[in-house]
Amino acid sequence: DIETIFDSLQGWVKNAGGRVDDRLSLVSETPWATRRGIITKKKINPVSVWPLVIVPESLEINGRRARASLEEKLPRRARSLDGLDSAALIVLWLAAECATGKQFDSSPWKPYLQSLPSEPPCGWYIASSEDALCNALFKQQVFDENHSIFRQETERAQQYVQLVSQGLFNDYAHFFSIQSPDLIAWALGIVSSRSMGGDANSARLVPLLDLINHNVSSR
């Protein structure tokens, strides 16, 4: 239930000292896209309103925090995390938090984790079949009869994701009960589509804020 998910998420943010305006709501389909997002239930004057959302720094998931969490579960004999950038650390952390039902249910990040989509809105993730690719392009109204270039780039991205996911799986999966490289691929999709920061070394996830349309030209 999308309302329950949003209530849990915003309650979690508020309990941590944050703020979520009561006029905000999470919907399954926004007016500007076929995917879910946050809208306002009432007209808001952008001049007089306080920030609609304030997420405390303590809820930000960055490379440092992901690494600290992973190292608590990583035995000394395990492969070092030193070679991973912030984005990779967050990917691995996210997969570890969702690895098992027990881990998911006991995670202090559960309100955020359960708000994440089962299918990240990445071209390489949604285009696992020709039908999915065409449907996605039709919905975005950018379909072209000759979409071979798009397909080629998608396949190239899928190969790269498979390589990265399998590599992380081989090196770390058994330490965090990660059962399949598919879970790491999902986490990679979440991070690549929702993270904030200029590059892989400054990547971070900010719960609830990543549900808001953040295109620079949006109103």
Side-chain angles (χ1 to χ4, degrees):
D1 177 37
I2 198 165
E3 291 184 5
T4 302
I5 288 174
F6 187 60
D7 287 345
S8 175
L9 181 60
Q10 66 173 327
W12 179 66
V13 170
K14 291 177 181 178
N15 288 338
R19 180 180 188 273
V20 183
D21 194 285
D22 292 337
R23 292 167 290 185
L24 298 180
S25 178
L26 179 64
V27 295
S28 57
E29 292 190 6
T30 61
W32 55 86
T34 57
R35 292 184 177 271
R36 62 183 188 157
I38 289 180
I39 64 170
T40 58
K41 294 182 285 187
K42 297 180 181 179
K43 186 175 181 179
I44 296 177
N45 185 341
V47 177
S48 61
V49 72
W50 286 92
L52 297 177
V53 176
I54 298 176
V55 179
E57 190 276 336
S58 60
L59 297 185
E60 177 185 290
I61 305 156
N62 52 35
R64 174 182 53 81
R65 184 162 285 140
R67 180 182 183 123
S69 176
L70 291 168
E71 286 181 337
E72 290 180 359
K73 307 168 187 175
L74 201 63
R76 290 185 179 181
R77 62 182 175 83
R79 185 183 180 92
S80 171
L81 298 170
D82 289 345
L84 303 182
D85 57 31
S86 292
L89 287 167
I90 297 171
V91 166
L92 191 58
W93 170 84
L94 185 56
E97 289 296 299
C98 299
T100 66
K102 182 178 180 181
Q103 177 66 22
F104 180 89
D105 288 335
S106 63
S107 173
W109 303 90
K110 182 179 178 180
Y112 175 60
L113 299 177
Q114 67 184 4
S115 75
L116 298 174
S118 58
E119 294 188 1
C122 301
W124 53 263
Y125 199 96
I126 62 175
S128 57
S129 70
E130 185 67 15
D131 288 340
L133 171 61
C134 293
N135 288 338
L137 291 172
F138 270 126
K139 288 178 180 179
Q140 298 300 322
Q141 296 182 337
V142 294
F143 184 75
D144 188 280
E145 291 183 1
N146 182 13
H147 56 271
S148 59
I149 295 178
F150 184 92
R151 187 191 299 123
Q152 291 170 6
E153 291 302 314
T154 298
E155 291 175 351
R156 185 179 303 173
Q158 288 173 335
Q159 292 171 2
Y160 175 76
V161 168
Q162 184 179 13
L163 181 66
V164 172
S165 301
Q166 190 65 55
L168 288 173
F169 181 81
N170 292 342
D171 290 340
Y172 301 104
H174 56 292
F175 297 117
F176 306 114
S177 302
I178 299 172
Q179 302 299 313
S180 168
D182 291 343
L183 180 58
I184 297 178
W186 168 83
L188 200 157
I190 292 294
V191 173
S192 63
S193 63
R194 304 169 82 86
S195 66
M196 303 179 186
D199 53 38
N201 284 313
S202 60
R204 65 204 61 213
L205 294 175
V206 184
L208 201 146
L209 277 184
D210 60 12
L211 282 167
I212 297 176
N213 187 343
H214 51 274
N215 185 302
V216 68
S217 63
S218 296
R219 297 291 183 184

